[in-house]
Amino acid sequence: MQVLMSATQSTYEEEEGTYQFYMEYPIPAYLVALVAGDLVPADIGPRSKVWAEPCLLSTAISKLSGRVERWLSAAESLYGPYIWGRYDIVFLPPSFPIVAMENPCLTFIISSILESDEFLIIDVIHEVAHSWFGNAVTNATWEEMWLSEGLATYAQRRITTETYGAAFTCLETAFRLDALHRQMKLLGEDNPVSKLQVKLEPGVNPSNLMNLFTYEKGYCFVYYLSQLCGDPARFDAFLRAYIEKYKFTSVVAQDLLDSFLAFFPELKEQSIESRTGLEFERWLNATGPPLIEPDLSQGSSLTCPVETLFSLWTTEPLDAVAAAGSVDIAEWRTFQTVLFLDRLLDGSPLPEEVISKLSECYSAQLDGMNAEIRIRWLQIIVRNDYHPDLHKVRRFLENQMSRMYTIPLYEDLCTGTLKSFALDIFYQTQNQLHPNLRKTIQQILTQGLNPLLAMDAAAVMADPLAAVVEDKPPEAAHSAISLRDVNVSA
């Protein structure tokens, strides 16, 4: 097997069959990672390779060749030299439970994401941004993950704007902020996990704090700081200085904010950190939505068609002919289509006439689109109990083993009247699933059953090993919050 590691140097001694790795820079333990498998490499740039199983290599090359160097160069122009030498990417099986992880020198990413060009672009650029924010300078505690994720999301969008334009960046941001508000509505505005400085109580798994607030509320705070400067380029200069000052160390929020005020003494003189209603302390410790959100008007050319089409499909009386003929969604970007479908999801269950006409107009077309689009259409089918298209849900779950595509469908199936349908699919596919994913789906399927029935169902579903190693009560896997809403790259 080929062995790879998040390291700046690697050697292989063929006679002994031994791989050796060396990392010349200090990094936190969470960035140490190793992978072994039937992996083959291909160059995609002067300092980048993709590693993938042979059946995936040509697709990975075609999707990323030349692009990664463009993104690295854009990031360097904003935030200074890329210090890690190599920026390679390894594609892992679709059953891998994490979408992407920014291990230095070697980004880990699931192969499922290759289906969607735009999600692949955003996910990889986000991991590129982590080379500066998260890898070079790291949050000192898991209670302040926003220091890595909020800054990386801001940097990702600066890189995206430089390479793809402001309209595309605004579209992606609108899509993510929609998801943030959806999560807020479900959680409630006083939920403590919506704080940027979340208190990590004893016994709480830090991974449960990986939510959209960490990313999007963190991003909004960083965006607010950039707006205080009056010029994004001045804020870029501050971030370069911040990286240089704290490189290879762990920081807390006060380090970032003190450095910000020292870099902009005029803002410190104005006591900007204490501005009424926008106090830095309130940003960090108040629950609820971001205090300020970015101006996304530059994306109106892409978002307005989505809003228009959604309005046509949800205004009574329905004129399906006019709605379907108003725009060709085949010409849309992926983020436009998923934004439209997410709005329909939020409005589900829809009137019977609407869902049947939507299926008539779009179902066959959506079948040929990427998984990020199909998963949302299938959720609409399930939430509306639209039985004529249920066979598509079965086919999808028989072929998709990724957590980000299976969990939301199983949650929706078990919320309504289709739990027996979900059980049948699970029995057929459980041996293909990652053990952690299999356990989570088992919890979803048994949630809400009579305790004795739940025990019987769990016993039927569980494999022998899972039954032995389960020595503590499982976390509640199914709630009002779809895990799709909190599925994010690391």
Side-chain angles (χ1 to χ4, degrees), residues 50-65:
V50 287
W51 292 84
E53 293 175 279
C55 60
L56 288 173
L57 190 63
S58 61
T59 301
I61 295 168
S62 66
K63 298 274 188 178
L64 290 170
S65 186

Side-chain angles (χ1 to χ4, degrees), residues 43-46 48 59-75 87 89 113-114 116-122 124-125 128 159 163-164 168 333:
D43 289 323
I44 55 168
S48 299
T59 301
I61 295 168
S62 66
K63 298 274 188 178
L64 290 170
S65 186
R67 282 179 160 183
V68 172
E69 183 60 29
R70 183 185 178 194
W71 301 332
L72 284 170
S73 297
Y87 186 90
I89 300 171
I113 210 71
L114 284 166
S116 170
D117 282 0
E118 289 181 19
F119 277 81
L120 175 66
I121 287 169
I122 293 299
V124 176
I125 292 178
V128 166
I159 296 165
T163 50
Y164 297 102
F168 176 74
R333 292 176 176 270

Side-chain angles (χ1 to χ4, degrees), residues 94-99 110 112 400-409 433-441 443-444 477 483-484 487:
S95 60
F96 190 67
I98 298 172
V99 178
I110 57 169
S112 315
Q400 286 287 349
M401 302 300 140
S402 168
R403 184 181 192 90
M404 65 181 180
Y405 298 137
T406 53
I407 291 293
L409 274 175
L433 302 172
H434 188 281
N436 290 352
L437 176 58
R438 187 162 62 241
K439 191 192 313 185
T440 300
I441 296 173
Q443 293 165 5
I444 292 170
L483 294 184
R484 186 65 190 78
N487 181 48

Side-chain angles (χ1 to χ4, degrees), residues 205-450:
N205 187 333
S207 66
N208 292 341
L209 303 180
M210 290 286 287
N211 56 52
L212 283 172
F213 299 102
T214 303
Y215 291 75
E216 297 304 332
K217 190 173 181 178
Y219 160 76
C220 287
F221 184 28
V222 177
Y223 174 85
Y224 170 67
L225 295 177
S226 75
Q227 292 301 105
L228 292 175
C229 306
D231 180 2
R234 291 186 70 207
F235 192 67
D236 293 337
F238 157 66
L239 290 177
R240 285 195 297 273
Y242 164 78
I243 292 292
E244 191 58 36
K245 179 177 181 180
Y246 292 109
K247 188 165 55 179
F248 306 131
T249 65
S250 299
V251 299
V252 295
Q254 203 57 50
D255 296 322
L256 172 69
L257 298 176
D258 287 347
S259 297
F260 175 78
L261 293 172
F263 196 88
F264 298 105
E266 71 277 14
L267 296 178
K268 186 173 184 179
E269 288 176 11
Q270 299 168 26
S271 298
I272 204 74
E273 73 277 15
S274 302
R275 179 183 284 181
T276 304
L278 293 166
E279 298 90 347
F280 288 0
E281 191 279 333
R282 188 175 177 196
W283 270 104
L284 295 174
N285 290 304
T287 60
L291 304 181
I292 280 182
E293 294 189 7
D295 175 13
L296 301 179
S297 58
Q298 287 181 287
S300 60
S301 62
L302 297 174
T303 55
C304 283
V306 175
E307 292 164 3
T308 299
L309 185 61
F310 175 72
S311 178
L312 286 169
W313 277 104
T314 53
T315 300
E316 294 183 359
L318 173 66
D319 186 345
V321 175
S326 65
V327 66
D328 181 5
I329 65 170
E331 301 298 318
W332 272 4
R333 292 176 176 270
T334 291
F335 280 119
Q336 289 177 290
T337 309
V338 297
L339 188 60
F340 170 62
L341 295 175
D342 275 348
R343 300 267 170 96
L344 291 174
L345 264 174
D346 289 341
S348 293
L350 299 162
E352 188 175 339
E353 179 193 13
V354 173
I355 186 64
S356 62
K357 290 294 184 182
L358 280 167
S359 177
E360 183 182 319
C361 293
Y362 298 128
S363 188
Q365 190 175 11
L366 294 171
D367 279 350
M369 295 186 180
N370 63 61
E372 289 288 349
I373 291 172
R374 295 202 314 279
I375 177 64
R376 288 166 167 83
W377 172 241
L378 295 176
Q379 283 185 274
I380 291 170
I381 290 170
V382 170
R383 289 191 191 180
N384 288 275
D385 286 329
Y386 189 66
H387 287 254
D389 279 355
L390 268 185
H391 65 283
K392 297 181 179 182
V393 176
R394 176 184 291 276
R395 187 170 70 240
F396 186 85
L397 287 174
E398 287 173 347
N399 289 281
Q400 286 287 349
M401 302 300 140
S402 168
R403 184 181 192 90
M404 65 181 180
Y405 298 137
T406 53
I407 291 293
L409 274 175
Y410 274 108
E411 287 194 318
D412 284 345
L413 286 165
C414 292
T415 300
T417 61
L418 297 167
K419 182 171 281 191
S420 60
F421 177 74
L423 277 165
D424 183 51
I425 298 171
F426 179 75
Y427 289 145
Q428 294 180 35
T429 61
Q430 60 177 322
N431 291 333
Q432 299 167 255
L433 302 172
H434 188 281
N436 290 352
L437 176 58
R438 187 162 62 241
K439 191 192 313 185
T440 300
I441 296 173
Q442 288 169 358
Q443 293 165 5
I444 292 170
L445 290 167
T446 57
Q447 189 75 15
L449 292 179
N450 175 288

